[in-house]
Amino acid sequence: MARVAIVTGGSRGIGEAISIGLRDAGITVAANYAGNDEKAHAFTARTGIKTYKWDVADHDACLASVATIESELGPVDILVNNAGITRDGTMKKMSRDHWDHVIDVNLGGCFNMAKAVWAGMNDRKYGRIVNIGSINGQAGQYGQVNYAAAKSGIHGFTKALAQEGARAGITVNAIAPGYIDTDMVAAVPADVLEKIVAKIPVGRLGKAEEIARGVLFLCAEDGGFITGSTLSINGGQHMY
Ligand code: CAA
């Protein structure tokens, strides 16, 4: 039977490329999305990948949605925690709401989703969890204390959970993307983005498919000895 994967934020941007990459590798994919029904339905029509709507910041919704997916598609073997948001602003301007929202979605979402699949993966002695961190969680970024803290948290979360999963055949790894050509990065003011791209040794933004490639590598059946690692895919912008 084909492996089953959940990709959070799986119908747009980096998540879309990951969902398609896993599908092309013969995996049955459930793509989570939070907001835009129209875009999600168009994604399903285009790719044949089923979409499921819930908020990864909502613990109970994560548990219920994973149960629904397992009843429809089978036990979940692969979890890609990709859902993420930005609410950029300098410390002076950042509200407590913008802090909470980014931490709850980006970091809380990883906990909620891992919790929802963890017992099943332990019972079946197999699992692949890939958490999408960020270069800005490794290096920090002006105007992103919330996002950098959440992404940095993801890197710590990954290393701790990897230790807990190791004896049960569950690998837990992170990818730290640099600046990728997505709507999220397109929202950065053009003059600021231009300066950031000028500092990328490869000389361009990354492509979503270049992150998907890393996810496929970490989710491979023969990847059982790769756990607790962080794969940086950033065009050489930060060598860590
Ligand atoms: N270092 C030092 N100073 C900086 C700076 C930097 N990197 N960036 C801006 N400043 C300074 C400005 O020069 C300005 O100084 P003055 O007031 O003396 O002129 C001051 O900080 C305020 O800057 P802004 O006018 O730009 O302030 P703002 O409040 O309008 O915007 C900001 C601030 C929201 C942080 C904006 O600069 C911004 O969007 N920056 C980009 C943040 C970013 O990279 N986000 C990444 C999003 S994509 C992503 O996160 C995906 C991923 O994983 C990589």
Side-chain angles (χ1 to χ4, degrees), residues 22-207:
L22 290 169
R23 179 206 64 186
D24 290 349
I27 291 158
T28 305
V29 178
N32 148 268
Y33 71 103
N36 194 319
D37 295 317
E38 209 175 300
K39 280 196 177 154
H41 295 152
F43 166 82
T44 300
R46 202 167 59 246
T47 63
I49 296 169
K50 280 183 95 171
T51 50
Y52 296 82
K53 185 178 186 175
W54 78 91
D55 176 0
V56 296
D58 180 337
H59 185 72
D60 291 342
C62 290
L63 300 184
S65 301
V66 169
T68 302
I69 290 167
E70 294 204 319
S71 71
E72 290 182 13
L73 306 180
V76 174
D77 309 296
I78 298 167
L79 168 64
V80 184
N81 278 317
N82 165 74
I85 59 167
T86 52
R87 293 291 181 273
D88 292 354
T90 54
M91 188 67 176
K92 263 188 199 165
K93 295 181 191 165
M94 188 174 292
S95 66
R96 176 70 202 208
D97 274 357
H98 282 181
W99 168 266
D100 286 342
H101 198 190
V102 168
I103 299 289
D104 287 351
V105 172
N106 297 13
L107 183 57
C110 289
F111 173 82
N112 294 338
M113 287 304 299
K115 185 83 178 167
V117 300
W118 196 247
M121 286 182 176
N122 270 277
D123 288 347
R124 295 185 300 276
K125 300 279 176 276
Y126 184 88
R128 297 280 180 265
I129 297 180
V130 180
N131 301 313
I132 305 299
S134 169
I135 185 174
N136 294 347
Q138 296 171 310
Q141 171 62 16
Y142 191 99
Q144 279 201 314
V145 293
N146 50 3
Y147 186 89
K151 292 296 188 177
S152 191
I154 286 176
H155 295 301
F157 173 82
T158 299
K159 291 172 193 173
L161 195 61
Q163 294 179 32
E164 294 189 26
R167 292 289 169 91
I170 307 168
T171 66
V172 187
N173 293 289
I175 291 184
Y179 282 73
I180 309 301
D181 191 5
T182 59
D183 290 347
M184 182 185 273
V185 166
V188 175
D191 56 324
V192 178
L193 189 57
E194 201 177 307
K195 285 184 196 142
I196 291 170
V197 175
K199 288 188 187 146
I200 302 175
V202 168
R204 61 170 174 83
L205 294 175
K207 299 181 191 128

Side-chain angles (χ1 to χ4, degrees), residues 4-20:
V4 173
I6 295 178
V7 182
T8 66
S11 69
R12 291 178 52 204
I14 291 175
E16 173 172 6
I18 293 170
S19 294
I20 291 171

